[in-house]
Amino acid sequence: MKFLDNYKYFTGTFFCFVSIFIFNLWENYPLYSTELFQDWKYIYNYHSCLNNTGIKEINCISILKSGFIYPEIWLKILDISYPIFENIIYLFIGTYFLITFKFFNKSLKIYHFLFLFSPTSILLVQRGNNELLVFLLIFIFMRLFNSEKFRLLSIVPFIFSAILKIYPFCLLIIYFIHEIKRINYIKIIILITSLILFSFFIEEYIDIKKKFDTSAGNVTLIYGADSIFYLATLIIGKLNFNYQYLSIVALIILTIFSFKFKIKKLEKINSYNETSFLIGSTILVSSFFINASFEYRFIYIIYTLPFLFDLKEIKQKKIIFYFILLIYLVLWFEFFIFYFREIIDFQKDKILTEGILNFKVSLLGFFIILKNLMYWVINFGLILLSKDIIFIKLNKV
């Protein structure tokens, strides 16, 4: 979208977006939270308690007892930026708002509007999660990677984002998919650097996962394959399986199964959107099957949308339209679950401890399972398309 041609939409969208947080309209969203920017404030407060600086009415005992749940580099960033760090979040939110427009240059405004104001997007901003900075770095990585002149510089945002949160390490595959049969100095540099950094930080990330596990035992606002296995446990009974292993096995099976299908005419899609799609699908699939996270991770679906819009125009098949429709449905589906919970006055603890099960509770469970199944279908679609793109690149070389 060009600003001069769409300034009314830009302005109106901006005021709507800001109003959600100024007038606390986010409280009507299914966010299950009562504090604005709580994740960002947590980092700031932890640093304050650790260094005994700027402490007001903070419960430092509660904050410090479980240890820091992010990589320690965040505390080093705070050493440099304290005390203005607390307000930097507004800069990242503004940047996130602007970046979202870049993915909808050739699509209808309604697609952008429905993405930006979806519960998934608002959850990211409301929590003030540091994913906002990582999202920006990955966008910079994509822009640099698509530039022949500055491709080598893409290593900087790639490495920095991976140090801030481990999942961007999965983007290493993007370097090798590009000119897939050639091994050049960029690939060698990035591979060696990534392996060194990964081995250096892996212990810290494992320790963080133990402190703050978002996988088994959680089904609300969780983006992860193992949620469906946990739900199966609640329905069937105790299953002595490792949810993480089951998720990885499922990934392998779906990948093998995807070879039974092939999407034609992919070679006609713009290569820039192709790279964007691979970035988004790599992050989403690896996060879904390997390391469960909060639902705001699903914002990376935005990277896949330009390619899907182009594919819909070229193929002119309803299945692509339905796939896009499914993506938007899951972006907004938590609204339906949230307000149905309110209607039936659902209390999770009471249900689990007293074993109360009736039609309304069963229906709520069905909706939660349905949302998780939609995530599975979307991820299978991403695997299928990514596989075909990679094979096209192999044939071109």
Side-chain angles (χ1 to χ4, degrees), residues 228-273:
I228 200 74
F229 301 123
Y230 175 71
L231 287 167
T233 300
L234 290 179
I235 297 170
I236 300 172
K238 183 64 178 177
L239 299 177
N240 295 318
F241 292 110
N242 185 300
Y243 298 141
Q244 185 69 72
Y245 291 156
L246 285 174
S247 298
I248 294 173
V249 170
L251 171 60
I252 295 171
I253 292 172
L254 287 179
T255 302
I256 295 172
F257 185 63
S258 71
F259 282 86
K260 288 185 171 290
F261 304 91
K262 184 178 180 181
I263 306 295
K264 297 178 181 179
K265 298 184 180 181
L266 288 184
E267 65 276 1
K268 296 182 180 181
I269 304 296
N270 180 281
S271 60
Y272 183 91
N273 292 339

Side-chain angles (χ1 to χ4, degrees), residues 2-206:
K2 294 181 180 179
F3 177 76
L4 292 178
D5 296 336
N6 298 278
Y7 71 93
K8 290 183 179 178
Y9 175 73
F10 273 86
T11 306
T13 305
F14 173 77
F15 282 112
C16 289
F17 189 71
V18 170
S19 296
I20 288 177
F21 302 100
I22 291 179
F23 300 108
N24 293 330
L25 299 179
W26 57 266
E27 293 178 351
N28 298 307
Y29 269 77
L31 308 180
Y32 309 96
S33 174
T34 57
E35 184 182 0
L36 192 61
F37 306 153
Q38 66 184 66
D39 292 350
W40 198 258
K41 289 177 181 178
Y42 164 79
I43 300 173
Y44 182 84
N45 291 341
Y46 192 95
H47 183 273
S48 298
C49 290
L50 199 63
N51 295 276
N52 198 29
T53 55
I55 300 173
K56 297 176 184 177
E57 296 179 359
I58 308 172
N59 186 349
C60 287
I61 296 175
S62 175
I63 291 174
L64 296 175
K65 71 176 181 180
S66 59
F68 195 53
I69 61 173
Y70 296 118
E72 289 190 9
I73 188 174
W74 284 98
L75 297 177
K76 297 186 185 301
I77 292 173
L78 247 159
D79 287 336
I80 300 170
S81 60
Y82 193 91
I84 65 169
F85 177 88
E86 192 175 17
N87 296 315
I88 295 176
I89 185 64
Y90 297 106
L91 173 64
F92 293 140
I93 291 173
T95 305
Y96 168 74
F97 173 80
L98 293 173
I99 288 175
T100 60
F101 286 96
K102 298 297 293 183
F103 292 93
F104 297 89
N105 286 332
K106 298 179 181 179
S107 56
L108 298 173
K109 297 182 182 70
I110 188 64
Y111 284 118
H112 173 263
F113 188 88
L114 289 175
F115 173 84
L116 183 64
F117 291 95
S118 68
T120 302
S121 176
I122 297 301
L123 173 67
L124 173 70
V125 178
Q126 185 271 339
R127 292 185 69 99
N129 192 265
N130 49 22
E131 196 93 34
L132 285 161
L133 174 55
V134 179
F135 182 86
L136 168 60
L137 289 170
I138 291 176
F139 179 77
I140 296 171
F141 159 78
M142 180 183 72
R143 298 301 293 265
L144 292 174
F145 183 86
N146 280 312
S147 168
E148 290 285 345
K149 188 176 180 181
F150 299 107
R151 181 163 293 151
L152 184 58
L153 288 176
S154 67
I155 295 174
V156 176
F158 165 70
I159 293 297
F160 189 38
S161 62
I163 293 173
L164 293 175
K165 281 197 171 183
I166 193 170
Y167 71 84
F169 271 119
C170 69
L171 294 177
L172 175 66
I173 193 174
I174 301 298
Y175 288 98
F176 291 89
I177 290 173
H178 179 76
E179 297 181 339
I180 199 165
K181 289 185 178 179
R182 289 181 58 190
I183 300 295
N184 53 32
Y185 70 98
I186 293 181
K187 293 181 180 180
I188 295 171
I189 291 172
I190 193 65
L191 177 61
I192 294 173
T193 306
S194 297
L195 290 175
I196 292 172
L197 286 172
F198 186 79
S199 61
F200 185 75
F201 286 101
I202 186 63
E203 239 182 86
E204 182 182 24
Y205 288 119
I206 292 174

